[in-house]
């Protein structure tokens, strides 16, 4: 090959070698352009999504595209605060639900339990009486979801203890869609008991009032027909006075019971020994008439309690009068002793008699209204059947209580305990 041919061949090869990088660079530039276009398109889509999100959350978008990061940061902070507030609100609602004094159970549209507090959970998967309550609760929930209206049920449980429950199921609706229901389970045992006591009290009051009123009416008619017989008139007048006194005492005891039930805990401090001394003095005429002696024993110099003087006088008077009236022994002297002891925590006042005592079967009921161990004997002695009930209410108003110990043929001891007064 001559020199010219060699140059020509080398020049062609060199030219092809120079074109390769140019082609590669052009290709890379083209790819870069395509990638940039795709990236810009993706960024525009992302920017549009950010604008839509900002508009949904804030109600507005960023004024300029370069302000989107700041707007997104501010919105993110807002969402974080909202999430924190929502968590705290859920925690409060959960705590309120768990510690609610009534049973609360929430279900989905299919009746499956989603949440139940402790008061309601005890009836889920239970046995015996609680199983009956669960069945009635689920029936109420299913009916409320199906009929789209509140449903109420009441159920009486006989085991392990007698209880009355009220169930109210309320459906959750969101437009035409059912979201489930909530059931409230309320223990109305105490409410039922109070209603029964109120009915019994009204019936007993009517019966107790009817007896003296009827006697007074009959005595009045008899007096009108016996005007010419002074001896008969005198006996009838005495009987009329006795019935009127009995009626007045009954009305007075009813008023005392009403006040004792409605009184708030007193805040006045007083010496209970002084109250007891005044009561012993006040019942002296009754004690003399019954040939009884009231003794004050082991009385401390001072025993301060927080109380209402009039209420405490009524309470002690009722207890001591009961002992005078029913505590006469079969043999020996009729003595009613009042012993007061004070401790760092309370004052204890024990009223003891030596009478016939109270049979065990009556001890749990003697503080009930109008309950009498011996009905005929109580009426003859002028008792209304309310004295012990009034006394217990007053003791409890003062933060204390009354207990009784009795042995048939030996006597009874009523012990009143009142908390000691402490200066604030």
């Amino acid at each position: 090959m001559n020199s010219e041919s060699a140059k020509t061949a080398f020049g062609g090869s060199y030219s092809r070698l120079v074109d390769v990088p140019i082609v590669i660079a052009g290709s890379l530039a083209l790819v870069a352009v395509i990638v940039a276009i795709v990236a810009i398109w993706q960024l525009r889509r992302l920017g549009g999504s950010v604008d839509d999100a900002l508009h949904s959350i804030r109600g507005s978008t960023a004024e300029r595209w370069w302000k989107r990061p700041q707007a997104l940061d501010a919105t993110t902070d807002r969402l974080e605060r909202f999430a924190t507030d929502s968590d705290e609100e859920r925690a409060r609602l959960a705590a309120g639900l768990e510690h609610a004094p009534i049973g609360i159970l929430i279900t989905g549209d299919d009746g499956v339990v989603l949440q139940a507090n402790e008061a309601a959970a005890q009836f889920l998967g239970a046995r015996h009486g609680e199983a009956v309550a669960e069945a009635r609760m689920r029936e109420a929930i299913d009916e409320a979801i199906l009929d789209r209206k509140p449903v109420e049920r009441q159920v009486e449980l006989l085991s392990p203890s007698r209880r009355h429950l009220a169930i109210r199921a309320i459906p959750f609706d969101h437009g035409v869609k059912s979201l489930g229901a909530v059931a409230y389970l309320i223990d109305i045992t105490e409410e039922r008991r109070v209603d029964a006591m109120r009915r019994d009290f009204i019936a007993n009051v009517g019966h107790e009032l009817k007896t003296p009123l009827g006697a007074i009416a009959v005595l009045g008619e008899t007096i009108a027909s016996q005007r010419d017989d002074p001896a008969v008139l005198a006996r009838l007048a005495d009987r009329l006075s006795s019935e009127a006194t009995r009626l007045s005492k009954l009305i007075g005891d009813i008023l005392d019971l009403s006040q004792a039930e409605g009184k708030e805990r007193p805040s006045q401090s007083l010496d209970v020994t002084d109250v007891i001394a005044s009561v012993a003095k006040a019942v002296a005429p009754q004690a003399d008439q019954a040939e009884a002696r009231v003794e004050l024993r082991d009385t401390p110099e001072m025993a301060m309690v927080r109380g209402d003087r009039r209420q405490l006088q009524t309470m002690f008077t009722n207890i001591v009068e009961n002992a005078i009236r029913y505590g006469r022994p079969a043999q020996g002297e009729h003595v009613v002793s009042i012993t007061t002891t004070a401790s760092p925590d309370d004052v204890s006042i024990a009223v003891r008699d030596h009478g016939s005592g109270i049979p065990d079967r009556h001890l749990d009921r003697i503080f009930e209204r109008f309950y009498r161990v011996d009905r005929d004997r109580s009426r003859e002695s002028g008792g209304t059947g309310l004295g012990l009930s009034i006394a217990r209410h007053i003791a409890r108003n003062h933060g204390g209580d009354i207990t009784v110990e009795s042995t048939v043929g030996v006597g009874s001891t009523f012990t009143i305990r009142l908390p000691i007064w402490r200066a604030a």
Side-chain angles (χ1 to χ4, degrees), residues 102-116:
I102 63 175
I104 303 176
L105 185 143
I106 300 173
T107 73
D109 186 48
D110 53 1
V112 174
V113 176
L114 302 178
Q115 192 169 4

Side-chain angles (χ1 to χ4, degrees), residues 24 33 75 98 106 108 112 126 129 227 232 238 261 265 290 309 405 416 418 424:
I24 292 174
V33 170
T75 303
E98 185 62 30
I106 300 173
V112 174
R227 294 178 181 177
V232 173
D238 288 342
E261 289 179 337
R265 189 167 180 176
R309 186 180 186 86
E405 295 178 356
I416 304 102
L418 301 173

Side-chain angles (χ1 to χ4, degrees), residues 176-389:
V176 297
K177 183 179 180 181
S178 174
L179 300 180
V182 58
Y184 300 102
L185 190 66
I186 306 170
D187 191 330
I188 58 172
T189 305
E190 182 65 15
E191 181 181 334
R192 285 289 189 91
R193 188 187 68 83
V194 171
D195 286 343
M197 287 180 59
R198 186 180 295 112
R199 289 193 300 269
D200 291 343
F201 180 70
I202 293 172
N204 286 327
V205 166
H207 178 74
E208 295 291 335
L209 290 175
K210 183 178 179 180
T211 302
L213 286 173
I216 290 172
V218 172
L219 288 169
E221 293 175 359
T222 307
I223 289 173
S225 64
Q226 299 290 331
R227 294 178 181 177
D228 299 330
D229 192 337
V232 173
L233 286 177
R235 288 199 308 272
L236 293 175
D238 288 342
R239 180 69 187 280
L240 186 63
S241 176
S242 175
E243 292 295 337
T245 301
R246 178 183 172 189
L247 181 61
S248 175
K249 181 170 176 53
L250 177 60
I251 293 173
D253 281 352
I254 291 172
L255 293 175
D256 284 341
L257 180 61
S258 175
Q259 291 176 357
E261 289 179 337
K263 279 279 188 180
E264 296 181 357
R265 189 167 180 176
S267 58
Q268 176 187 1
S269 63
L270 50 84
D271 183 3
V272 72
T273 59
D274 181 51
V275 178
I276 294 170
S278 67
V279 168
K281 183 177 180 180
V283 300
Q286 183 179 346
D288 292 341
Q289 186 177 1
E291 298 180 348
R293 180 162 52 90
V294 178
E295 289 185 351
L296 300 180
R297 299 179 180 176
D298 302 331
T299 303
E301 292 184 2
M302 186 175 293
M304 302 300 293
V305 299
R306 190 183 301 274
D308 180 283
R309 186 180 186 86
R310 181 180 177 280
Q311 283 195 59
L312 291 180
Q313 284 180 328
T314 299
M315 176 181 67
F316 291 128
T317 299
N318 287 347
I319 299 296
V320 175
E321 283 184 346
N322 261 19
I324 294 172
R325 190 179 294 127
Y326 307 117
R328 177 181 295 279
Q331 294 180 346
E333 189 180 7
H334 184 6
V335 178
V336 174
S337 63
I338 305 175
T339 305
T340 304
T341 56
S343 73
D345 296 321
D346 58 33
V347 178
S348 177
I349 304 97
V351 180
R352 183 180 182 186
D353 64 61
H354 303 278
S356 58
I358 303 170
D360 290 344
R361 67 181 182 277
H362 297 291
L363 290 179
D364 291 337
R365 301 194 61 190
I366 60 174
F367 292 102
E368 295 179 9
R369 304 165 180 173
F370 295 112
Y371 188 83
R372 297 178 175 93
V373 174
D374 188 336
R375 188 170 293 274
D376 293 334
R377 183 183 175 193
S378 177
R379 284 210 174 102
E380 289 175 4
S381 62
T384 64
L386 291 174
L388 292 180
S389 180

